[in-house]
């Protein structure tokens, strides 16, 4: 089932990246970040021993940090589900290392050292990670706790030196001020994110059925057509329209009409693959974009969906049916002519009696076009015969 899970519809849902997709991205980032961090820490540890460039505390902590980060990388690679724990441990290790190294410098060399070294830029990574790991509120608390520790260290330096190590004090004050600005900027963006996601949902989904709307469908289709063209992959579209839907509204009321639209959407979703997209194309007209499916399979797929809709009962009284038109990508197709072929096939299905699945028939294409333009749906057997002649 492709898009049953969210009110966003299939296409839009993928844009908003459901939690598991977001976790996959986070896992990739964590694997890359921790392996680079591990290697960088071990390299720095070697330099400490060889050149003696770093704060002496580095000599003890860096090998531990580097080894643990590499072990966490392996653990995450083998067990993806450990991500929430591993990212918290990585944040804790990084933050503890940075604070310990800074505390060592301020406690042991309050007079003997100049401004803060470049290592302290990494505090900003700690804040960034906090906002990736926790909710905005919790990340704000965690990051402010780290900044409070920086403030305490700055005060300590000021008191211990009687304010005489100006360069160290100035750089610590800068670090605290920059941390506060950075944390609140992140906090504001983190709060905007859900609103942005909601706006996307509204812009790209159909409020009645929850599936993607036409604007989103056109975007998705353009993407799939480009993919089919570039990689020579099959692509089909299935356009279906509910039969005599006006009668449903007229006889049972608009509310039942709406319930039919929702029931049909729900039933169709049950049969979609993860790759497929379902969109509301117009009033009672829907479009399915089915990548990796050629025409014969798309016809079978349409037939399965047709049967599924025809066994529905809505409100105990309404038994909807739908007419389906199937078209598959051909070299040189554009979005427009692919949909036009599906549309012609759908009108052929209407004119041949409804509740059926059709593909475009070359010999009747011109006639079906005419029928579409002049008589949106041929109603009688005479109409059918006229089209078939
Ligand atoms: N309840 C409801 N009705 C809708 C909605 N959107 C469109 N419709 C109705 O769908 C009906 C479409 O009617 P027609 O275009 O005449 O088509 P039809 O009656 O289905 O006939 P055929 O397509 O030829 O089988 C109209 O009465 C529209 O008002 C909607 O969101 N809710």
């Amino acid at each position: 089932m492709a898009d049953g899970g969210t009110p966003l519809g299939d296409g839009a849902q993928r844009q908003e990246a459901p939690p598991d997709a977001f976790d996959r991205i986070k896992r990739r980032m964590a694997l890359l970040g921790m392996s680079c961090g591990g290697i960088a820490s071990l390299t720095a540890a070697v330099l400490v021993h060889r050149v003696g460039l770093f704060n002496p505390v580095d000599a003890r902590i860096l090998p531990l940090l580097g080894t643990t980060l590499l072990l966490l990388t392996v653990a995450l690679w083998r067990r993806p589900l450990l991500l929430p724990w591993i990212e918290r441990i990585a944040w804790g290790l990084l933050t503890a290392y940075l604070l310990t190294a800074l505390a060592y410098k301020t406690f042991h060399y309050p007079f003997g050292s100049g401004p803060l070294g470049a290592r302290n830029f990494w505090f900003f990574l700690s804040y960034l990670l906090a906002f990736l790991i926790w909710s905005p509120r919790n990340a704000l608390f965690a990051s402010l706790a780290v900044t409070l520790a920086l403030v305490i260290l700055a005060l300590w330096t000021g008191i211990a030196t009687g304010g005489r190590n100006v360069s160290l004090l100035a750089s610590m004050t800068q670090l605290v001020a920059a941390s506060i600005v950075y944390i609140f900027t992140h906090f504001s963006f983190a709060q905007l994110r859900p609103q942005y996601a909601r706006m996307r949902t509204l812009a790209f989904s159909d409020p009645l059925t929850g599936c993607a709307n036409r604007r989103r469908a056109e975007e998705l289709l353009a993407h799939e057509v480009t993919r089919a063209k570039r990689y020579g992959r099959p692509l089909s579209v299935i356009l279906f329209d509910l039969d005599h839907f006006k009668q449903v509204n007229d006889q049972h009321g608009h509310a039942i009409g709406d319930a039919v639209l929702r029931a049909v959407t729900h039933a169709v979703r049950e049969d979609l693959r993860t790759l497929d997209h379902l969109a509301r194309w117009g009033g009672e007209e829907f479009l399915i974009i089915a990548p990796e499916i050629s025409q014969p399979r798309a016809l079978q797929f349409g037939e399965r969906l047709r049967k599924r809709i025809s066994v529905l009962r809505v409100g105990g009284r309404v038994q909807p049916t739908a007419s389906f038109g199937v078209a598959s990508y051909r070299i040189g197709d554009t979005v427009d002519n692919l949909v036009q072929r599906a549309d012609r096939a759908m009108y052929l299905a209407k004119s041949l009696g409804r509740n059926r699945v059709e593909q475009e028939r070359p010999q009747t294409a011109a006639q079906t076009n005419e029928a579409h333009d002049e008589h949106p749906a041929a109603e009688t057997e005479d109409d059918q015969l006229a089209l078939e002649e």
Side-chain angles (χ1 to χ4, degrees):
M1 183 177 140
D3 54 346
T6 79
L8 205 53
D10 181 50
Q13 145 192 320
R14 232 163 266 156
Q15 283 286 317
E16 303 315 334
D20 56 332
F22 185 55
D23 279 352
R24 273 201 298 276
I25 295 169
K26 273 198 350 178
R27 181 172 163 258
R28 274 204 296 272
M29 281 169 58
L31 284 172
L32 188 69
M34 289 192 309
S35 52
C36 291
I39 292 167
S41 304
L42 290 177
T43 312
V46 172
L47 285 176
V48 168
H49 283 291
R50 293 209 153 216
V51 192
L53 280 176
F54 293 79
N55 185 326
V57 80
D58 288 336
R60 292 196 184 80
I61 297 188
L62 280 177
L64 194 67
L65 180 70
T67 313
T68 315
L69 286 177
L70 291 181
L71 288 175
L72 287 175
T73 309
V74 176
L76 182 61
W77 178 50
R78 303 293 303 266
R79 298 271 169 91
L81 291 180
L82 291 179
L83 176 68
W85 293 104
I86 288 176
E87 58 189 10
R88 282 163 176 74
I89 295 171
W91 177 85
L93 280 175
L94 174 74
T95 311
Y97 160 67
L98 292 171
L99 285 175
T100 311
L102 187 59
Y104 185 88
K105 179 172 176 129
T106 54
F107 286 131
H108 287 79
Y109 302 97
F111 284 107
S113 61
L116 292 179
R119 181 204 302 107
N120 296 288
F121 292 139
W122 293 102
F123 273 107
F124 297 96
L125 180 61
S126 160
Y127 305 140
L128 175 69
L129 285 180
F131 281 93
L132 284 176
I133 296 171
W134 289 292
S135 67
R137 208 175 120 89
N138 291 350
L140 179 70
F141 286 139
S143 303
L144 286 180
V146 176
T147 310
L148 182 64
L150 294 180
V151 171
I152 292 169
L153 288 175
L155 286 175
W156 159 258
T157 312
I159 292 166
T161 61
R164 274 167 288 154
N165 190 344
V166 178
S167 59
L168 180 59
L169 268 178
S171 58
M172 288 194 75
T173 311
Q174 294 270 10
L175 180 62
V176 169
S179 294
I180 292 171
V181 170
Y182 189 84
I183 291 167
F184 279 99
T185 309
H186 249 300
F187 182 63
S188 311
F189 277 116
Q191 285 197 314
L192 282 178
R193 263 201 309 262
Q195 285 176 33
Y196 173 72
R198 194 176 139 64
M199 277 162 55
R200 275 195 70 87
T201 305
L202 293 176
F204 287 131
S205 66
D206 168 51
L208 179 69
T209 58
C211 60
N213 61 17
R214 185 165 179 152
R215 182 188 302 141
R216 178 68 185 140
E218 282 170 348
E219 269 187 21
L220 289 165
L221 193 52
H223 173 78
E224 292 299 346
V225 165
T226 307
R227 210 177 68 91
K229 198 176 286 181
R230 183 173 303 160
Y231 301 109
R233 303 303 306 169
L235 166 69
S236 293
V237 294
I238 303 174
L239 192 67
F240 67 92
D241 182 280
L242 298 186
D243 297 327
H244 299 305
F245 194 60
K246 187 173 180 326
Q247 280 175 25
V248 174
N249 276 330
D250 292 348
Q251 289 171 12
H252 305 280
H254 213 263
I256 292 288
D258 285 354
V260 170
L261 291 170
R262 279 194 294 265
V264 166
T265 309
H266 184 75
V268 169
R269 276 176 173 160
E270 296 281 310
D271 239 345
L272 297 187
R273 304 160 308 153
T274 326
L275 279 180
D276 303 326
H277 309 281
L278 169 66
R280 190 168 174 199
W281 194 246
E284 78 303 13
E285 201 174 15
F286 293 85
L287 181 79
I288 295 169
I289 305 167
E292 302 296 325
I293 284 193
S294 55
Q295 184 113 342
R297 276 186 60 209
L299 283 166
Q300 288 169 6
F301 187 18
E303 184 56 27
R304 208 167 57 231
L305 295 174
R306 185 196 66 76
K307 285 190 183 137
R308 203 179 248 280
I309 292 173
S310 67
V311 296
L312 287 175
R313 298 284 176 281
V314 182
R317 288 166 291 173
V318 183
Q319 194 176 342
T321 61
S323 300
F324 288 72
V326 173
S328 297
Y329 177 79
R330 293 182 200 148
I331 294 170
D333 262 348
T334 61
V335 167
D336 284 347
N337 57 27
L338 182 60
V339 174
Q340 274 165 17
R341 282 211 310 281
D343 192 52
R344 282 200 289 269
M346 195 264 289
Y347 276 97
L348 181 63
K350 288 271 184 196
S351 59
L352 293 178
R354 295 182 174 78
N355 190 18
R356 55 189 291 147
V357 181
E358 287 296 333
Q359 58 188 323
E360 191 188 21
R361 298 179 189 177
Q363 68 274 24
T364 58
Q367 292 154 310
T368 312
N369 241 342
E370 252 169 54
H372 184 179
D373 294 342
E374 289 170 20
H375 311 284
E379 294 286 344
T380 63
E381 280 192 20
D382 289 344
D383 289 330
Q384 281 183 35
L385 288 172
L387 279 167
E388 279 167 354
E389 270 168 15

